[in-house]
Amino acid sequence: MTNKLERLPKHIGFIIDGNGRWAKERGLPRSAGHKAGCKTLSLIIKECFYTYNIPVVSIYAFSTENWNRPQKEVDYLMSLFKDYTSKDFLNEFPEVKLNIMGDESKFPDGLANSARETAVLSEKNSKYILNLGINYSGQDELVRAVNNIIRDGKKDIDRQTIEDYLYTKGQPKLDFVVRTSGEQRLSNFMLWQVAYAEMYFPTTYWPSFKKKELYNALKEFQGRNRRFGAIKE
Ligand code: IPE
Ligand code: IPE
Ligand code: MG
């Protein structure tokens, strides 16, 4: 399937949405949707890296607004993230550097420890990067950048300065954002990085977003005419 795709993104972002509705449609609890969503996450990450050789994948897994959900659901999600970022990560995703995007100070201890440990152990991996957004907010990322720029006494701030203080420092530009479930909004995802990204909003719920859906998304990307303000036929 891949040989037909020539122009692939270097950096793809996924706003994973629809786990709850996927479960509801099946008469299952929301937790079952999140569990199924986790399986999809592994599949899609592997496809992006190892089938399509896309070097950077960004995942929006939990927003700063998601703390407003029932405690039981939040706890379940945190336990899934803890398992996800455990040492198994290194076996499941060889050559991948785990880069957590988000305020870790609010993570439960178990998650904070596993995320930190795996981030350190995978630090030297340079072939692929997984930016995992947990307790992430694009606005907070910019506030954090501004505060750190001030702390470091930087002067004559330009675009590059800002980029150097984002979680995505040094990475290829975000080319393509996919949000599943039919919602057509960013919900605070990578507000700086999204500047010239192509957007795609399939109606599929995240747990049902599989190899074929990813292929269709990438095919869609291939057909986009990216002009960047210039004139291109
Ligand atoms: C995405 O699915 C997972 C998270 C945002 C944590 P949702 O849980 O938002 O699913 P819906 O939107 O309620 O269907
Ligand atoms: C956006 O999904 C956040 C993540 C995917 C982590 P939500 O389901 O929380 O977003 P809204 O509330 O529909 O905007
Ligand atoms: Mg949702």
Side-chain angles (χ1 to χ4, degrees), residues 204-223:
T204 317
Y205 294 144
W206 176 254
S208 303
F209 193 88
K210 297 286 163 63
K211 288 184 185 185
K212 189 169 127 281
E213 286 73 20
L214 178 65
Y215 176 82
N216 289 340
L218 294 170
K219 196 141 179 47
E220 169 72 26
F221 176 80
Q222 200 166 56

Side-chain angles (χ1 to χ4, degrees), residues 17-18 21 69 179:
D17 203 8
R21 281 164 283 169
R69 295 188 179 200
R179 180 172 187 153

Side-chain angles (χ1 to χ4, degrees), residues 15-24 30 33-34 60-63 66 69 73 77 81 179-181 183 185 205-207:
I15 302 175
I16 62 177
D17 203 8
N19 290 354
R21 281 164 283 169
W22 179 92
K24 195 171 178 194
R30 291 179 63 83
H34 294 315
Y60 200 9
F62 192 92
S63 74
N66 288 145
R69 295 188 179 200
E73 181 170 348
L77 284 165
F81 300 146
R179 180 172 187 153
T180 53
S181 89
E183 307 299 349
R185 55 176 169 267
Y205 294 144
W206 176 254

Side-chain angles (χ1 to χ4, degrees), residues 62-100:
F62 192 92
S63 74
T64 52
E65 286 74 30
N66 288 145
W67 297 107
N68 294 324
R69 295 188 179 200
Q71 192 59 43
K72 215 175 114 208
E73 181 170 348
V74 169
D75 290 346
Y76 186 69
L77 284 165
M78 292 300 142
S79 74
L80 285 179
F81 300 146
K82 176 176 168 281
D83 292 346
Y84 213 79
T85 58
S86 75
K87 274 194 190 139
D88 290 345
F89 179 94
L90 303 160
N91 300 324
E92 203 177 349
F93 305 108
E95 300 185 281
V96 177
K97 173 178 165 169
L98 175 67
N99 181 39
I100 301 288

